[in-house]
Amino acid sequence: MAGSYFLTTAIDYVNSAPHLGHAYEKVLADFFARHEASLERDVLFLTGVDEHGQKVQQSAQKQGIEPQAFTDQMSALFVEQHRSLGEESTTFVRTTAAGHKAVVREWLQKLHDKGEIIFQEHEGFYSVRQEQFVTEKDKVDGQWPELFGEVVPMKEPNYYFRLEPYRARLLAHIEKNPDWIVPAFRRNELLGALKEPLAELCISRPKARLAWGIPLPFAEDYVTYVWFDALTNYYSFADAKGARRWPPDLQIIGKDILIPAHGVYWPIMLLALGLELPRHLLVHGWWLNRGAKISKSNSTTIVDPSAYVEKFGADALRYFVLREMVMGQDADFTDERFETRYTGDLGKKLGNLVQRTLKMIHAYRAGVVPNYDGFHLEDVDAPLRSDAVVDEYKKHVAAFAPHLALQAVWDFIAQANEYIEKTQPFKLAKDPVQARRLDVTLALLAESLRRISILLEAALPFTAGKIRAQMQLAPGPRRLEEALFGTSLRGHQVGEPSVLFPPIETKPAAGA
Ligand code: MSP
């Protein structure tokens, strides 16, 4: 094993069904997890759900069931989404797990003992409908918006976590580690947010108001509130076959939870506990629907990934989200864009290359990859014998840019398609004098397919497997190093091709 790799995703709220935004983040993490595994690293990959809090308690109440029963039902939907997308996490986090609760309590106790958690009265305005404190900043045109219902003055003592004593150390860490937050412009946003002194973070709710949470070890009539519970999952589940891994190499989150949750609360919790900070925080943008964030709070924006998986296959969705979204930016999800990528990149470019190549090997060489002698090479063969694609791919993944890594693979696919146009194997096949040249072209094309199957493994694992099956090659997962050019296919018998991405017209409608 070439070392280990530990990565995490945000854990999703279970108060509504998973949507495309959740699916994207998990696919992104799965891509990196598979990539690291292809470098022979022992991967620990955590993802899962955030199960406590007011909303879950309320949703359960509405359905007339216990919060645990409610969250059991909802968590199953997330597990199913991950499964259908081919996402292979090591551990599915659930914050209702006993082991997690124990770590949260342990951390709270430590910070309390250290004097970092203090008890103080908060006086302010309270929204009865939303059951939360609101501030002047929440007002719209000087009025409390409708969504808050009745807003009343309220005094409530709570427990607070002191952030300010750690601000200078956090700033120093960010200055010293320029690639701690990717992309860089998010780092600048965080530096901006850390210019002003930090107010204490309220980490409790009286049990009388919120029962669905983890009780504070030093005040059992309070539960800890949301972020303290949720963030701790990264540590409480950081277990690889009985041994704790720390720190995470990569933590993937959306831009909405960088400031303050993952950029301020989380590193300060770790600093206060004397634990190392994660090596990288990768902050992705949002999927939009006609310009609006896809969000559970606006049902008209929701895109249900399962409809696309059913109609086009998991890899089509995986490819689309990884290829279309420029890392860190927002992207619009439209059926037109999706279908353009599906028909063009997947069907015409990749699918056709596989079909044409395997068909020609059957038609001209009885399905056997020819052995060529190295004396009949020409300049036109150079791109397919080059390892540049592997270097490019690796470089972009290392820079957390899967869209560019896939672009590099598709450039190579384009070169292979152009190669067929330039060398015209169907003409060579008619001229016996050209038999050796035909051997070279068919062998190089077959070798390109083999290499593509390896380069696709992290992003499109099902397709990579299908290509390998059609070529009668050993199934994945394979090592990325095998994507380097070689001659291992000499004399290898390939199987029959079958269509990888059927044209849309012949497919049933989504959900049919
Ligand atoms: N439970 C918290 C996270 C706790 S992590 C210790 C939470 N949950 S969430 O369900 O609201 O969001 C989970 C993740 O999905 C976040 O990283 C969020 O950015 C991401 N997405 C939710 N909607 C999204 C889009 N429309 N597009 C892309 N990702 C977005 O926050």
Side-chain angles (χ1 to χ4, degrees), residues 15 53-65 67 70 128-131 209-210 212:
N15 52 318
Q54 194 99 37
K55 297 243 165 67
V56 171
Q57 180 172 303
Q58 282 167 349
S59 304
Q61 252 160 15
K62 261 191 218 149
Q63 290 194 15
I65 56 175
F70 173 80
V128 179
R129 185 183 294 163
Q130 295 297 328
E131 298 194 43
R209 212 142 66 66
L210 175 68
W212 186 236

Side-chain angles (χ1 to χ4, degrees), residues 213 282 333 355 376 388 418 477 479 503:
L282 178 61
F333 187 97
Q355 286 263 320
H376 295 86
E418 269 164 36
R479 291 177 298 120

Side-chain angles (χ1 to χ4, degrees), residues 10-13 19 21-22 24-26 50 227 230-231 233-234 253-257 262 284-287 293-296:
I11 50 172
D12 302 330
Y13 289 133
H19 57 60
H22 303 121
Y24 166 64
E25 185 175 280
K26 308 328 174 222
D50 188 354
W227 282 110
L231 291 164
N233 93 84
Y234 300 134
I253 56 167
K255 65 177 186 180
D256 48 326
I257 57 172
H262 286 79
H284 62 75
W286 285 341
W287 280 98
K293 182 193 177 200
I294 294 179
S295 161
K296 60 192 162 220

Side-chain angles (χ1 to χ4, degrees), residues 180-339:
W180 184 55
I181 295 182
V182 185
F185 68 93
R186 298 273 176 226
R187 173 175 176 266
N188 297 337
E189 286 175 13
L190 181 59
L191 285 171
L194 288 168
K195 279 202 178 115
E196 302 290 320
L198 297 168
E200 295 86 13
L201 167 68
C202 181
I203 54 141
S204 71
R205 289 288 184 273
K207 247 190 192 164
R209 212 142 66 66
L210 175 68
W212 186 236
I214 303 175
L216 303 185
F218 42 83
E220 298 278 346
D221 50 341
Y222 280 85
V223 298
T224 188
Y225 190 60
V226 199
W227 282 110
F228 204 96
D229 174 351
L231 291 164
T232 305
N233 93 84
Y234 300 134
Y235 186 83
S236 63
F237 286 89
D239 176 276
K241 300 167 207 116
R244 164 139 4 245
R245 291 263 181 93
W246 203 258
D249 294 284
L250 176 65
Q251 300 208 272
I252 301 178
I253 56 167
K255 65 177 186 180
D256 48 326
I257 57 172
L258 172 65
I259 302 173
H262 286 79
V264 182
Y265 306 159
W266 176 228
I268 289 185
M269 280 164 71
L270 294 173
L271 290 173
L273 288 157
L275 289 167
E276 262 185 85
L277 304 197
R279 299 212 166 91
H280 299 287
L281 270 182
L282 178 61
V283 186
H284 62 75
W286 285 341
W287 280 98
L288 311 175
N289 187 344
R290 281 158 283 144
K293 182 193 177 200
I294 294 179
S295 161
K296 60 192 162 220
S297 53
N298 180 355
S299 61
T300 62
T301 62
I302 297 283
V303 172
D304 176 8
S306 66
Y308 292 84
V309 171
E310 223 173 276
K311 187 170 171 188
F312 300 98
D315 274 357
L317 186 72
R318 289 175 67 106
Y319 176 71
F320 181 76
V321 292
L322 291 171
R323 177 70 189 84
E324 188 75 7
M325 193 174 246
V326 175
M327 178 49 68
Q329 307 290 330
D330 293 347
D332 226 25
F333 187 97
T334 66
D335 282 346
E336 297 77 62
R337 288 299 297 158
F338 190 94
E339 291 183 16

Side-chain angles (χ1 to χ4, degrees), residues 9 50 106 150 177 188 201 207 237 281-282 313 326 329 343 389 411-412 431 435 454 458 460 465 475 477 481 510:
T9 70
D50 188 354
E106 199 184 296
E150 193 189 357
N177 298 278
N188 297 337
L201 167 68
K207 247 190 192 164
F237 286 89
L281 270 182
L282 178 61
V326 175
Q329 307 290 330
T343 306
V389 60
D411 287 347
F412 185 67
D431 181 359
I454 289 161
L460 289 84
E481 201 176 285

